[in-house]
Amino acid sequence: MSDLPQQLPAISFEFFPPKSEEMERNLWQAISRLAPLHPSFVSVTYGAGGSTRERTHATIARILQETDLTPAAHLTCVDAPCADVDEVVTRYHDIGVRHIVALRGDPTTGLGGTYTPHPQGYRSSADLVASIKRRYPDIDVTVSAYPEKHPESTGFDADLDILKAKVDAGATRAITQFFFDNDLYFRYLDRVRARGIDIPIVPGILPVQNFKQAAGFAARAGASVPDWLAKQFEGLDDDPDTRKLVAATVAAGQVHKLAKHGVGNFHFYTMNRADLVFAISHLLGFRPQAARQAA
């Protein structure tokens, strides 16, 4: 890993709101383990139709109260009138949130279903971005991007039109859907830049905790799984320790190659678990603040 750039990249982490006391403990163990790496921000997801609205808000509020981390709150347009979505934005702004990840959101029937806007709701993520920036210019808005195009998109040109609309509405960065083949990211980046879009396109990295689950989610999300990746996990269904080592090696190799080619930002989908993300961040050169001060 000696040929990594001298300057550390920016890293950020995604968490999801817990559904039980045990999941709450696991989440805060992960946050406590990763916080000393000083990510640029941490995001908290938002369930379809606002199903996790209060849990997301409670998690964001606790991050603000109990840590020095900068939280980014996910927000979607799904199954809610504009007034309800606006109220959520206001509540976040009132408690000090200045970063929102604005998404259209998945159809209420799940990935692969047909999206139908609420009759009184925002019709697209670009509309949501524009509203947030109009009402609160001091909120930083992040949006989504799709190296293999959105599953519902008719093609890359249409997909890039949507991204351009979100940028024109005020988005300042985009985080990609996870991918496993770096060439997909670089080809997408070329298309984005050729379209005149110059915001950071931050690669979303999914360390594979469980290959079968990851492959199933990838199929629903329209993300491809290379044959070579499947082979790496062959025969490890009942060997979690080796699976974890392989997962760390694969993900560290991916981010190392991206960093070597000039990528300066990484967003990790943690699945509320710190071990793999901490190991990958370590291989990128990150050390807990206390360790750096003691060295």
Side-chain angles (χ1 to χ4, degrees), residues 153-176:
S153 179
T154 56
F156 270 110
D157 288 341
D159 216 47
L160 293 177
D161 287 344
I162 292 171
L163 179 60
K164 183 67 163 57
K166 292 188 283 191
V167 174
D168 290 345
T172 54
R173 84 177 54 71
I175 296 172
T176 75

Side-chain angles (χ1 to χ4, degrees), residues 82-256:
C82 295
D84 287 4
V85 178
D86 293 349
E87 180 190 359
V88 175
V89 176
T90 297
R91 288 179 64 196
Y92 279 131
H93 193 269
D94 287 348
I95 65 172
V97 173
R98 295 296 181 269
H99 188 174
I100 285 178
V101 180
L103 309 166
R104 189 204 70 181
D106 297 322
T108 51
T109 53
L111 284 168
T114 300
Y115 176 76
T116 304
H118 187 281
Q120 287 82 45
Y122 290 110
R123 302 196 66 79
S124 70
S125 51
D127 291 341
L128 175 58
V129 173
S131 173
I132 293 169
K133 295 300 291 185
R134 183 171 58 250
R135 296 173 63 232
Y136 298 107
D138 58 335
I139 289 182
D140 185 21
V141 181
T142 291
V143 294
S144 57
Y146 298 87
E148 299 177 76
K149 78 177 181 58
H150 192 280
E152 298 171 39
S153 179
T154 56
F156 270 110
D157 288 341
D159 216 47
L160 293 177
D161 287 344
I162 292 171
L163 179 60
K164 183 67 163 57
K166 292 188 283 191
V167 174
D168 290 345
T172 54
R173 84 177 54 71
I175 296 172
T176 75
Q177 173 67 277
F178 67 86
F179 57 92
F180 300 112
D181 181 347
N182 287 350
D183 287 343
L184 291 169
Y185 171 80
F186 288 119
R187 285 199 294 270
Y188 178 70
L189 193 61
D190 286 344
R191 290 189 180 103
V192 168
R193 298 301 181 232
R195 186 69 173 77
I197 300 168
D198 60 3
I199 63 168
I201 307 296
V202 181
I205 305 298
L206 177 68
V208 178
Q209 309 275 0
N210 180 306
F211 179 75
K212 286 185 176 180
Q213 287 180 359
F217 184 60
R220 295 191 298 276
S224 61
V225 179
D227 290 341
W228 63 261
L229 182 62
K231 287 185 173 64
Q232 297 296 319
F233 288 93
E234 277 182 359
L236 298 180
D237 289 355
D238 300 317
D239 189 350
D241 292 337
T242 303
R243 200 167 64 223
K244 189 180 295 186
L245 289 172
V246 171
T249 301
V250 168
Q254 180 180 16
V255 298
H256 173 256

Side-chain angles (χ1 to χ4, degrees), residues 19 22 31 46 52 60 65 84 116 172 175 189 192 230 235 249 255 272 276 289 293:
K19 296 180 181 178
E22 181 182 2
I31 290 175
Y46 188 83
T52 64
I60 290 283
Q65 292 164 2
D84 287 4
T116 304
T172 54
I175 296 172
L189 193 61
V192 168
T249 301
V255 298
N272 287 10
L276 284 178
Q289 186 67 45
Q293 290 173 344

